[in-house]
Every structure is written in C-alpha cells, then in structure tokens.
Amino acid sequence: MRVPGKVLVAAAAALTLGLSGCSLMPGSGGQTPTTPLPSASRTPPPGSQALARYYGQALAWHACGAAECAGLSVPLDYTKPMGASITVQVLRMKATRPGQRIGSLVVNPGGPGGSGVDYARAADFIVGAPVRQRFDIVGFDPRGVQRSHPVDCLPDAQMDAFLAQDPTPDDQAEEQAFAASGAAFARGCVQRTGPLIGHISTEDAAKDMDILRSALGDAKLNYLGKSYGTLLGAVYAGLFPKLVGRFVLDGVVPPDASPAQIALGQAEGFERATRAWAQNCVNAGCPLGNSVDGVMTGMRDLLKRLDASPVPMSDGHESMLTEGWAATGIAQAMYDQGSWDSLTAALRQVVDQNNGTELMKLADQYAERDPNGHYTGNLLEAFYAISCLDSPDSPDPKVYEQRARDAAAKAPTWGPFLAWGGLVCGQWPVKEGTGPHAISATGSGPIAVIGTTRDPATPYEWSVQLRHELANARLLTFNGDGHTAYARSNACVDSAIDDYYTAGTLFADGLKC
C-alpha cells in the first residue's frame, strides 16, 4: 500500500466535467493561436527556443457549465520538441470581480493523480473569498491524469484484486504473490497506456505548467499546490525560479526524500493521526478499546483478523472487506477529521455485525470507485505511474522486509503497510525520471510553506524541511488535524494566505496558527 497525498473536497468530488479524451497526434496539437499574448508570457525561458510554438499559443476557451474549458498543446517528449504533441485539459473559473482582477491562480490538489480540473471547478471552496474575487482559478489535469491522456493499467475487476490483496506479506509465498501482482500492474500500465508512460514525470508536468502560464498571459506563475501539488510546485520553482509569482505550498512532499523516507514519514504521520482519531473514538465509546493504546492494538488485531477472514457486505457488494480494503478505508478517514465519526461507526459495524459495508464505502471514496465497482477516475493508477517514474525503488523483496521491520518499530499500525507499497516501483519497467533531489529555487520570489502538526499524509516535519531547503521561503505552522490547512477550517491560516495572494504581503516566518 502506498498513500497518495491528495486533498478531499466534497464539492469537487460531486462535480464532474465531461471532456472527451484526445489521442496522441504527430506534429502540432492543441489550439491555433487566435490573439497575441503579452510579450512577457510569449517568450520561452532561456534555452527553450525550440518550444516557441508552444509558448506562442492562445487557449480557445469554451463554456463548460459555470466554467470555461480549453485544451493546452504540449510536447509529448520535451527532448524532442518538434515531435509528437499531446493535449492537456484546462478549466478556468473567472474572477468574480473582474474589475479588480490580479491574474490567474493555478491550483493542484495533489496525488499524484488528483484532477486539477475538478479541483478548480470547486473554486468557491478551495480558496478564500478575497482570492476568488480577484483571481481566475485555473486547474489542469496533468498528463496521465483523468482527462489528459489518462494512464490505464488494469481492467476494473483486476484493479479490485490489486487493491484487495494482502498488503503486508507474512511469509515467502505471500511475498512472491505480492511481487507478482505488482509486476503485473506495472506491465499493464505500459501495455495499456503506450508511449506516454515514459513522459508523465513531475518534471514533465512542471514544464507543462510553464506553457500554461504563458498561454494564460501571466508574466509569472501564481500557484496553490497542496500535498503532492507542493512537489509539483517545488519542481517548477527549481526549473523556473525567476517566474515564481505568489506561491503557496501546503502539506509538503519533500523533493529530496527517497521512497524509503517517504514511506516511513507517512507511516509516522498516519500513526500520529490515527492516535488522534483513537482519542476521539474513546471519548465517544470505541468498539476497539477503552484507551488510545488499546484502540491502536484493537485496530491491528482487527486487520489481522480480516487478513485471515474477510467479512461480507450487506448491500449486494460482490467484494469482501479484506485487510487491504479495510486499511484503505481507514486511511481515507485520516485525511479529514470530519470523517472520524463515520470511521468509528464503520468499525463498530465490522466488530459487532461482521459487516464491512460502511468501511468499504470509505475505501471506495479513496479509490474513486462507485457502488457498481467502476472506477470514476484513475487516481491510483496515475499515482503509481508518476511516483515510480519520479522515484525508482529496489526490486528486492528482502529490502522491504527490513523496511517493514524498521517502520513497525516507529509506526506499528501503518509501518508495514507503507513499507511494502514501494515494491511496485521496484519493478517499474520505465526508467526516465531524475530521481529525488534537493531544490533551492535560488532567485525565486518568496514562497509560502504551510505545515499541519498532525497531518497524516504529509508530516509536519516535511514542511519544516522544505522551508530550510528553499532559498526564499517562510513557514506557517497550523496546530491541528487533517491533511493540509488553507481554506479548511482556520481563520488565522486563511487570513495570512488571502493577504499574500491579494496584497503580495507575506506573513512573518514562523507564524503559528
């Protein structure tokens, strides 16, 4: 099991946008420029003159509900800019006070694999009212995600089996089965996705984002990246430091962390968040125990029980609630404390009624899977395909055995789950990414970094780490629960970020909310 860093927005999940997919085409793709853009945005960055035809394009916007949509033409392979192109889908929610408009704000919700199109469509919920009034909120589905040539790895039934499998192998036979499943998943991604599979790295998406900046007519990129979106933003800042505008990175994924460090950090983050939920559960009367430690032990015992004996559902769901599905459902609830009561009720149903219906509903939310077993997005397929390209890992199962033992010492509940999840990337057949590396973005404008103290997926320490690695950054600390902080629940955080976007005034380094 590996855990995407994603932001859950109920409004975004409820809103869908039907955009037809585009196939790979030789030569130029996307829209034909119709009006000239400001010269500051038309000019490719130094050393990128071969990309001039992409930087010269204008987006042909068309209405799509309350928003406007367009296709952005970008090269399939940035090392061959005169070769094939692909089309990245973009959505814009225009500023509600156009007379006071500052510019565009490009947003990314995380993942990798989260839809920026759906996220931007929920503009009223993801930024403060002052920002909504003065910025066009723009999102794009990064290459390989949802509407932009989506990565496809397995048919739905096989994806079910992949997610349901035992995520914590107990013996050599289970290790071999787990490795075989990961290898089949990786082969499926290559076979079903085609040549794009080697060109969906975070660096590719960051370069696409600069072409998007150009097409929007902005001299600099104003940006809100949450979770994995912070990695995308950091990579952009490293590539184009002079083009960094008003930049907010909320819930950091550190660009220099190895896969093993990511797995351990997330395990510790989820352990800390689960203990916070456990206290809430105890206060309400918990089905797993009468103390935080008792609840944590009870959860591990329940997962072991489900490993041996999955439980059925009562709603006609053909699947059984396995250890893998149960862990996915529990993880889903850790992203937002608003889901804690639902998790407690779901676990009570499993314990008291031997019924996995409600916990499976949480797992389905995580996997973007509807009640009929159909995957409505490709979050988890894109997550592995992009992560594994960015950060290859070891193919040796013995490495993961040791990682699982080490992680269990620090995070008994989540350590083994997260440690074993890297084996898929160890067997990834495409080796094109640059690998983890530190980014300073020297010469950039000031970057706002936000960390939440009990964030499960992006531990607070990672925000502190990036703050020190970036040459020009300030840290805002939110003492709270859940994944990311801005536009979720805290007026102190929201006011500081709204002021930065609208007035260009960045808070003092070390602000605590």
Side-chain angles (χ1 to χ4, degrees):
M1 176 182 182
R2 293 188 73 177
V3 182
K6 58 178 181 175
V7 176
L8 307 175
V9 178
L15 293 165
T16 57
L17 175 64
L19 294 175
S20 60
C22 301
S23 59
L24 295 180
M25 300 175 61
S28 62
Q31 308 299 325
T32 301
T34 56
T35 57
L37 296 174
S39 59
S41 65
R42 285 179 60 87
T43 306
S48 303
Q49 292 306 311
L51 297 171
R53 67 191 178 105
Y54 294 104
Y55 278 86
Q57 70 184 290
L59 296 173
W61 296 104
H62 61 274
C64 50
E68 295 179 327
C69 297
L72 177 77
S73 182
V74 296
L76 167 64
D77 182 350
Y78 273 94
T79 68
K80 300 175 181 177
M82 303 308 293
S85 63
I86 58 174
T87 302
V88 168
Q89 298 295 341
V90 183
L91 178 142
R92 174 173 69 182
M93 296 286 285
K94 298 190 80 171
T96 58
R97 293 187 179 176
Q100 300 177 22
R101 180 183 178 275
I102 294 173
S104 303
L105 177 64
V106 176
V107 298
N108 182 279
S115 168
V117 165
D118 289 340
Y119 195 53
R121 186 178 276 276
D124 292 344
F125 301 91
I126 67 172
V127 297
V131 178
R132 181 73 183 88
Q133 292 164 358
R134 303 191 66 187
F135 284 87
D136 296 341
I137 307 303
V138 179
F140 69 104
D141 283 356
R143 51 175 67 205
V145 174
Q146 199 121 332
R147 302 169 185 86
S148 299
H149 307 274
V151 169
D152 184 25
C153 300
L154 297 173
D156 287 352
Q158 292 181 30
M159 191 67 183
D160 283 355
F162 178 73
L163 295 175
Q165 69 181 318
D166 182 354
T168 54
D170 301 313
D171 54 39
Q172 187 172 3
E174 290 188 357
E175 287 180 12
Q176 291 174 346
F178 189 77
S181 173
F185 178 90
R187 287 195 303 272
C189 294
V190 173
Q191 293 167 1
R192 295 168 69 91
T193 302
L196 181 69
I197 197 68
H199 305 287
I200 55 172
S201 70
T202 298
E203 183 171 318
D204 288 320
K207 292 176 179 178
D208 292 347
M209 198 155 61
D210 197 58
I211 292 175
L212 175 59
R213 173 199 60 77
S214 164
L216 292 171
D218 291 336
K220 293 190 175 184
L221 179 72
N222 302 309
Y223 182 71
L224 170 63
K226 291 203 166 193
S227 199
Y228 161 81
T230 67
L231 177 60
L232 176 59
V235 170
Y236 178 91
L239 292 171
F240 309 104
K242 300 295 186 181
L243 299 176
V244 168
R246 297 174 190 180
F247 239 64
V248 176
L249 307 179
D250 184 3
V252 166
V253 177
D256 58 337
S258 69
Q261 290 169 329
I262 292 289
L264 180 58
Q266 286 196 323
E268 292 177 314
F270 271 89
E271 198 81 17
R272 186 162 51 220
T274 306
R275 291 183 68 86
W277 161 81
Q279 182 61 66
N280 177 271
C281 189
V282 169
N283 294 344
C286 194
L288 298 181
N290 298 319
S291 67
V292 170
D293 288 341
V295 170
M296 298 299 288
T297 299
M299 178 176 285
R300 292 191 290 274
D301 289 344
L302 177 62
L303 291 170
K304 289 178 183 177
R305 170 189 147 194
L306 293 172
D307 183 16
S309 301
V311 301
M313 262 65 76
S314 61
D315 61 354
H317 210 302
E318 294 183 2
S319 302
M320 300 286 282
L321 182 71
T322 63
E323 179 189 15
W325 279 124
T328 300
I330 294 167
Q332 168 71 11
M334 292 302 115
Y335 282 87
D336 184 354
Q337 62 269 39
S339 298
W340 285 2
D341 289 347
S342 297
L343 174 61
T344 299
L347 290 169
R348 190 180 306 280
Q349 186 184 52
V350 175
V351 171
D352 294 348
Q353 303 174 33
N354 203 46
N355 183 337
T357 302
E358 295 304 316
L359 192 51
M360 190 69 194
K361 288 179 181 178
L362 286 170
D364 282 345
Q365 290 175 27
Y366 185 100
E368 297 184 344
R369 183 176 184 271
D370 69 22
N372 297 318
H374 172 65
Y375 291 84
T376 59
N378 74 326
L379 170 68
L380 296 180
E381 290 166 307
F383 170 75
Y384 277 102
I386 296 169
S387 298
C388 295
L389 196 61
D390 282 350
S391 299
D393 211 340
S394 171
D396 184 1
K398 298 299 181 185
V399 169
Y400 301 93
E401 280 185 23
Q402 186 60 52
R403 285 186 194 172
R405 284 192 294 270
D406 294 343
K410 295 183 177 181
T413 309
W414 290 102
F417 287 93
L418 274 299
W420 276 104
L423 184 54
V424 174
C425 290
Q427 301 173 98
W428 204 252
V430 184
K431 312 292 185 183
E432 296 290 340
T434 58
H437 58 283
I439 293 173
S440 65
T442 301
S444 77
I447 297 173
V449 177
I450 308 175
T452 298
T453 56
R454 292 181 295 280
D455 189 315
T458 53
Y460 172 71
E461 294 80 4
W462 289 354
S463 293
V464 176
Q465 178 179 333
L466 184 62
R467 155 64 188 89
H468 290 300
E469 291 176 357
L470 290 173
N472 188 3
R474 296 182 188 178
L475 176 67
L476 187 160
T477 297
F478 171 52
N479 182 14
D481 297 292
H483 185 37
T484 75
Y486 175 55
R488 289 191 66 238
S489 64
N490 187 269
C492 170
V493 173
D494 293 352
S495 177
I497 300 305
D498 288 347
D499 287 348
Y500 174 44
Y501 279 133
T502 58
T505 304
L506 191 54
F507 52 83
D509 190 29
L511 175 65
K512 292 181 170 56
C513 293

